[in-house]
Amino acid sequence: MCLLGTFSQWSTLSEHSCIKVDDDLPLETVVLVGCGVPTGFGTSVNLGGVRPGDTVVIYGIGGVGINAVQGASIAGAINVIAVDPLPNKREMAEELGATHSVADAEQAQQLVTQLTRGVGADHALITVGVVTDDVIDAAFAAIRKRGTVVVTGLAGPGQKNIHLSSFELTLFQKRIEGALFGGGNPFDDIPLMLDLYRAGRLKLDELITNRYRLEDVNQGYQDLLEGKNVRGVLIHEH
């Protein structure tokens, strides 16, 4: 769709699309700030507008969601609730900034109600791989008055899956917003994230579950489908 040479060792690009990184930074690690890290981080910080003391629920802890967790934590959220059915992803979420993790949306709703004394979450961030009606409904129900749902995940281009109560939308002034690349500017955000990485605040090395050679790419896809990876990286050997 974007005319990408996904597994190419070399590409021809406009200089206006390139961002220089310092020579001492490991490219196989900082490559992550090209997509999933700023998308997740920006979902929390730019479009979610997470502030100190907020309560945030994040649905789906993959390559984007785990960085929404990091973004919410760095922004000062007091409660960061990671929602994912896979124990390994919930465990990593807690290692990288989640204060709580649960397996499904129902448990998340109960936890939000308990932590906020019935008020609701300030932000619900949808970073699942395939967005469904159920996750939209759950996120909308989880937020408080004037709370925000940010939708970063996708469904099919012809699928209509947002069906919400206009009564609740209007009287509670709830908001729902789409997010592309975390709503950020790569020329600002990528250097910022690399500075946070240098300072030890933003974790990148820890995101990489497995590294693959080009001939192992099919195994990488299989591990992705089976939920074994938070992030897999393809290493080109020279």
Side-chain angles (χ1 to χ4, degrees):
M1 182 176 69
C2 298
L3 304 178
L4 294 176
T6 307
F7 301 121
S8 300
Q9 288 175 290
W10 305 99
S11 296
T12 301
L13 304 170
S14 167
E15 63 181 296
H16 301 294
S17 298
C18 299
I19 298 170
K20 180 71 171 69
V21 300
D22 292 338
D23 292 337
D24 64 319
L25 291 173
L27 289 180
E28 68 180 64
T29 299
V30 300
V31 66
L32 298 177
V33 302
C35 185
V37 174
T39 298
F41 187 92
T43 294
S44 286
V45 176
N46 297 332
L47 291 172
V50 177
R51 299 180 299 176
D54 281 353
T55 292
V56 184
V57 188
I58 300 160
Y59 299 86
I61 308 301
V64 173
I66 191 66
N67 294 296
V69 168
Q70 292 206 79
S73 177
I74 290 171
I78 195 170
N79 296 308
V80 181
I81 302 167
V83 186
D84 199 284
L86 297 177
N88 60 315
K89 295 191 176 184
R90 296 198 302 272
E91 181 180 350
M92 179 169 280
E94 293 194 4
E95 291 173 359
L96 297 185
T99 57
H100 306 78
S101 66
V102 295
D104 57 46
E106 182 178 354
Q107 294 178 49
Q109 180 67 62
Q110 294 172 354
L111 184 58
V112 166
T113 300
Q114 174 188 340
L115 292 172
T116 66
R117 298 178 177 86
V119 173
D122 299 282
H123 315 279
L125 314 177
I126 299 176
T127 54
V128 295
V130 179
V131 175
T132 64
D133 299 55
D134 289 343
V135 71
I136 294 285
D137 291 344
F140 195 71
I143 58 173
R144 62 183 294 161
K145 292 180 180 179
R146 301 198 71 186
T148 304
V149 173
V150 181
V151 183
T152 298
L154 295 172
Q159 186 174 346
K160 297 181 180 180
N161 57 0
I162 298 179
H163 307 282
L164 302 174
S165 164
S166 61
F167 180 89
E168 187 174 353
L169 183 72
T170 299
L171 294 188
F172 287 77
Q173 298 186 74
K174 293 185 176 183
R175 292 167 288 178
I176 183 164
E177 184 168 4
L180 176 64
F181 200 68
N185 177 350
F187 294 94
D188 291 330
D189 290 355
I190 288 177
L192 168 64
M193 290 174 195
L194 293 179
D195 285 344
L196 289 169
Y197 169 60
R198 282 187 180 281
R201 300 288 306 282
L202 181 69
K203 307 300 183 183
L204 297 181
D205 303 278
E206 293 83 352
L207 296 177
I208 302 174
T209 318
N210 284 298
R211 292 172 170 83
Y212 303 91
R213 296 177 300 173
L214 183 58
E215 55 264 37
D216 299 324
V217 64
N218 289 336
Q219 183 61 52
Y221 272 115
Q222 189 62 41
D223 290 347
L224 170 69
L225 292 172
E226 293 176 0
K228 294 180 179 179
N229 284 341
V230 171
R231 213 59 173 155
V233 172
L234 190 70
I235 306 299
H236 287 285
E237 297 178 346
H238 298 288

